[in-house]
């Protein structure tokens, strides 16, 4: 588990001891800091596992930008109206993603962890699984080339609903929170279209779930 705590020391013992080791914080942040002390728990942001850590854990091999963008163009050329980008637009969008090759049998997303990145499947086969209170995980689906994985956590840094495992060697495009923010600053219209695409995908998914529980 990745703990992003800005190198804050572990706080134990009495309140006075905690005060002695408490790092200096700007006055404007004092209330937020004290509130976190009262809550006695870490925030979701502090629990986020960034892609750079997950990539290192997985032994992911970085792909050249040109190769990655070409794979993204190819993968999303098969998509329907919910993927509104042409090849030229993907050429502009592509540099905001990172591209990696992954071996088979790797957990690229873990259920219930906090994340700040999404992936686009470029090649290979990925399984979506969900753990149960008893028994082995249930395989919910296998993704297809061009599918988006983990977009909800990219948007809200919330907990992952399921785990994703590579069943074969795979190439993926990764859009991190930092990459999305850079796109918003440098290509705001493109970023708005990406967010609209993700909103449509989430809407379709929610409608499908609603239909099943009626």
């Amino acid at each position: 588990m990745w703990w992003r705590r800005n190198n804050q020391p572990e706080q134990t013992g009495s309140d006075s001891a905690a005060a002695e080791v408490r790092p200096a914080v700007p006055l404007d942040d004092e209330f937020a800091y004290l509130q976190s002390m009262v809550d006695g728990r870490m925030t979701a942001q502090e629990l986020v596992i960034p892609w750079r850590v997950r990539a290192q854990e997985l032994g992911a091999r970085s792909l050249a930008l040109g190769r990655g963008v070409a794979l993204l163009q190819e993968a999303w050329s098969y998509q329907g109206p919910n993927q509104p980008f042409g090849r030229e637009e993907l050429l502009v969008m592509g540099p905001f993603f990172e591209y990696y090759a992954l071996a088979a049998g790797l957990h690229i997303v873990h259920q219930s962890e906090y994340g700040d990145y999404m992936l686009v499947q470029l090649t290979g086969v990925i399984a979506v699984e969900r753990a149960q209170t008893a028994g082995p995980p249930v395989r919910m689906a296998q993704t297809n080339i061009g599918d988006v994985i983990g977009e909800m956590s990219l948007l809200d840094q919330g907990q992952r609903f399921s785990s994703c495992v590579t069943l074969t060697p795979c190439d993926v495009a990764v859009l991190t929170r930092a990459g999305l923010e850079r796109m918003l600053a440098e290509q705001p219209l493109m970023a708005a279209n990406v967010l609209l695409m993700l909103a449509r995908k989430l809407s379709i998914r929610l409608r499908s779930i609603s239909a099943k529980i009626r």
Side-chain angles (χ1 to χ4, degrees):
M1 179 64 74
W2 174 257
W3 302 94
R4 190 168 66 194
R5 302 204 60 173
N6 301 319
N7 296 321
Q8 293 180 13
E10 198 65 31
Q11 297 183 10
T12 58
S14 67
D15 291 342
S16 59
E20 291 174 3
V21 298
R22 187 179 69 182
V25 294
L27 291 176
D28 289 345
D29 296 336
E30 185 67 10
F31 178 81
Y33 182 86
L34 292 174
Q35 185 62 53
S36 68
M37 293 284 289
V38 171
D39 287 347
R41 63 177 183 273
M42 298 175 67
T43 65
Q45 184 179 7
E46 290 172 317
L47 291 167
V48 165
I49 299 179
W51 171 253
R52 67 180 183 277
V53 173
R54 180 51 41 80
Q56 186 175 10
E57 292 174 352
L58 299 176
R61 179 171 57 86
S62 180
L63 298 178
L65 177 61
R67 171 63 175 164
V69 172
L71 286 172
L72 182 63
Q73 289 175 313
E74 185 69 17
W76 272 359
S77 66
Y78 300 113
Q79 302 298 298
N82 291 316
Q83 195 291 96
F85 306 110
R87 295 184 69 86
E88 292 302 317
E89 291 173 304
L90 291 172
L91 194 62
V92 175
M93 182 192 306
F96 296 98
F97 286 76
E98 301 172 27
Y99 303 91
Y100 293 87
L102 302 168
L106 300 177
H107 279 74
I108 55 178
V109 167
H110 291 272
Q111 181 178 323
S112 298
E113 74 181 7
Y114 292 88
D116 68 346
Y117 62 88
M118 76 172 198
L119 306 100
V120 181
Q121 182 179 340
L122 303 179
T123 64
V125 182
I126 297 174
V128 181
E129 300 178 344
R130 182 160 175 81
Q132 307 177 90
T133 54
V138 174
R139 180 162 298 177
M140 302 171 62
Q142 287 185 191
T143 61
N144 300 307
I145 291 175
D147 281 352
V148 175
I149 300 167
E151 68 275 19
M152 291 183 67
S153 291
L154 170 68
L155 297 175
D156 66 4
Q157 294 186 314
Q159 286 183 291
R160 305 287 193 184
F161 177 75
S162 56
S163 297
C164 296
V165 185
T166 57
L167 299 181
T168 68
C170 296
D171 296 317
V172 296
V174 183
L175 182 61
T176 65
R177 187 65 173 258
L180 178 59
E181 290 174 351
R182 188 162 59 89
M183 193 190 307
L184 282 165
E186 299 177 18
Q187 295 285 342
L189 182 58
M190 187 71 69
N193 287 333
V194 170
L195 293 173
L196 181 59
M197 176 196 70
L198 297 180
R200 286 172 176 163
K201 288 181 177 293
L202 290 173
S203 176
I204 292 171
R205 189 177 304 167
L206 289 173
R207 288 181 183 275
S208 175
I209 294 172
S210 296
K212 291 178 181 178
I213 62 178
R214 286 178 180 173

